[in-house]
Amino acid sequence: MYEPTDQASTATEYPAGSQIRESDWHILAGFWHPVAFSSDLADGPVASKLLDVDLVVYRTSEGAAVARDLCVHRGSKLSRGWMSDDGACIVCPYHGLHYDRSGQCTWIPANDPDSPPPAKTMRLISYLAAERYGIVWACMKPEPLRPLPEWPHLDEFGPEWLRIQIPKGTWAATASRHCENFNDIAHISWVHMKTFGNRARPVVPDYTLEQTDYGLYMALPYIEVERGFNDDLGEREREVFYRHHLTYPFATDLRVDYYEDDGESFVTSHFFDIGSPVSARTTDIYQVSLTNIPGATVEDYAEYQLVTNSEDIVIVESQRPENVPLNLAAETHIRADRLSVRYRRDLVEMFGLGAPEMVA
Ligand code: FES
Ligand SMILES: [Fe+2]
């Protein structure tokens, strides 16, 4: 019914009731994560959730902003508000308080116009925000542990490239299970039989795996089956080359190259995939692609990607335990798992995730 009198603010940093262990939460809060597509902000503020914290994402005339979805006056949801006519402030829908990009309250409409301006302490709980690659990113600590992924080709691309933004999906799985799946090669021949998987070619070659300053790099060939998803080409094999650039903790640029049937046209597609940890076992999936496949359309490409995702979702949502075991002895690994083994080890050794509970 009531918060106790010794409770100064209900907005603690670590959200009450989170299923993310507190030590892991503070580490994950130090990374950049997507909280909205830029295009989502066209009609005003939107609600988002990151690491169990309800957020409002808005864009002022000075740029994108991310804050707790909580007006400091009477706790109304700012995501139900709108932007001021001059575009400088988000407006709370309850009593009209205005907040600028930094979260500072700039106007209390109910006060006499001659009143002093709102106190400097009257401000939202705001987070670092950045807009890049058509995505708004947030970091909930003042100093990010790592920079944003470095994907310059997604900032600037020529007219021969088609950019495709895949509709955002939400998976009932941890961000790390999603990330491992996106970078898992051995599953392709088993899971992707509606799309490009080739059951006749299950052997994963001994691939290149390198540690980089952003994460991991893996490169290997695969023989896909081209299924003529939206036409009647039938099935035929196609040799492709995969390059995975995994930026810690959950972002991947998968580059796929192949030659067209004429043996001369060289085709490249990039699949940028970022899992954003909404909560311990819920992940928002942000995907953007670039391709120079001749004649590709946004609609067909997006549909193909959504079918591919649907093949993965049923598997990944079924994995148990839902949390990724960071004790390598807890699951069995095969030779093809070199990337995921390295990934799990790095999450522990580089960032301290999965630290044992302190026993009092
Ligand atoms: S609750 Fe936001 S203005 Fe009063
Ligand atoms: Fe997959």
Side-chain angles (χ1 to χ4, degrees), residues 35-178:
V35 288
F37 277 119
S38 296
S39 55
D40 297 337
L41 302 184
D43 297 326
V46 295
S48 187
K49 190 187 257 196
L50 178 61
L51 299 170
D52 287 312
V53 177
D54 286 319
L55 299 174
V56 58
V57 187
Y58 58 105
R59 188 192 291 110
T60 72
S61 33
E62 292 181 345
V66 179
R68 284 266 173 125
D69 195 5
L70 181 77
C71 179
V72 293
H73 176 225
R74 285 292 178 269
S76 184
K77 279 202 184 301
L78 290 159
S79 56
R80 292 171 174 265
W82 54 89
M83 300 310 296
S84 58
D85 288 345
D86 64 1
C89 289
I90 185 168
V91 181
C92 178
Y94 197 3
H95 310 97
L97 265 64
H98 282 46
Y99 299 95
D100 67 14
R101 185 185 181 215
S102 76
Q104 174 64 44
C105 179
T106 59
W107 187 31
I108 304 169
N111 281 2
D112 188 300
D114 296 331
S115 307
K120 289 284 173 221
T121 52
M122 199 158 182
R123 52 186 310 121
L124 305 178
I125 302 167
S126 294
Y127 300 109
L128 296 179
E131 195 164 10
R132 199 135 175 228
Y133 314 127
I135 292 169
V136 181
W137 306 71
C139 172
M140 299 168 86
K141 294 284 183 184
E143 287 290 330
L145 282 171
R146 288 293 180 104
L148 286 168
E150 204 47 57
W151 295 331
H153 33 305
L154 191 47
D155 267 341
E156 269 186 42
F157 48 89
E160 70 278 21
W161 292 94
L162 183 70
R163 178 187 186 277
I164 306 104
Q165 182 171 304
I166 311 299
K168 190 172 81 184
T170 300
W171 293 25
T174 73
S176 275
R177 288 271 194 210
H178 169 82

Side-chain angles (χ1 to χ4, degrees), residues 171 181-182 184 187-188 191-192 196 308-309 311-313 316:
W171 293 25
N181 169 257
F182 195 82
D184 181 296
H187 85 289
I188 296 173
V191 171
H192 291 297
F196 55 95
T308 305
N309 288 348
E311 295 178 305
D312 287 314
I313 288 171
V316 175

